[in-house]
Amino acid sequence: MAVKKKIPMRKCVGCGEMKPKKELMRILRNEEGEFLVDATGKKNGRGAYLCPSVECFQKAVKSRGLERSFKQAIPQEVYEKLEKEMSGIEKG
Ligand SMILES: [Zn+2]
C-alpha cells in the first residue's frame, strides 16, 4: 500500500480553482514593494497564486483578485509588466 503524500494546494486568484502548488505560478511582492513573477516559488515576500496562463492572469485582473490578495491597488503598468512576464514563461 502506497502512502499518499499530501500535496500542498493553492487557489488560483484567476479561475478560483484549487491546484497543486507546484503547478501554479506565484506573483510576488518583495520588500521593496515591487511586483514580480516568481517562477521558482522560492523567493521571499507576499505571494498570490495563478495558473501559468495569461487567461487566468487576465481573469485575476478583471476580478481584482490580485488586489484582494495583496490588499492594495495595483498600477496598470505593473499589470502590464506581469502579463509580459507571464506570457514569457507560460507553460502551455
Ligand atoms: Zn487559474
Side-chain angles (χ1 to χ4, degrees):
M1 291 288 273
V3 177
K4 268 189 195 165
K5 273 189 189 163
K6 259 203 179 165
I7 302 165
M9 303 286 277
R10 291 291 182 274
K11 193 177 172 183
C12 168
V13 295
C15 61
E17 277 179 44
M18 295 292 290
K19 295 202 173 177
K21 198 175 153 188
K22 268 194 292 184
E23 289 176 21
L24 296 170
M25 299 212 341
R26 200 161 163 245
I27 307 288
L28 188 94
R29 187 180 67 205
N30 68 14
E31 283 169 1
E32 283 82 48
E34 289 173 328
F35 289 90
L36 43 107
V37 178
D38 177 17
T40 62
K42 284 180 182 142
K43 288 176 187 157
N44 285 322
R46 188 176 170 78
Y49 290 87
L50 264 181
C51 303
S53 85
V54 172
E55 206 179 302
C56 274
F57 178 80
Q58 285 168 347
K59 275 185 197 163
V61 174
K62 263 195 197 151
S63 67
R64 310 226 165 247
L66 283 175
E67 300 190 343
R68 271 204 305 276
S69 290
F70 291 110
K71 297 184 171 65
Q72 69 164 88
I74 298 176
Q76 182 63 32
E77 71 236 38
V78 170
Y79 277 135
E80 282 168 17
K81 180 180 104 95
L82 291 175
E83 188 171 354
K84 241 181 236 168
E85 285 184 43
M86 288 279 297
S87 49
I89 41 182
E90 193 171 1
K91 287 169 190 168

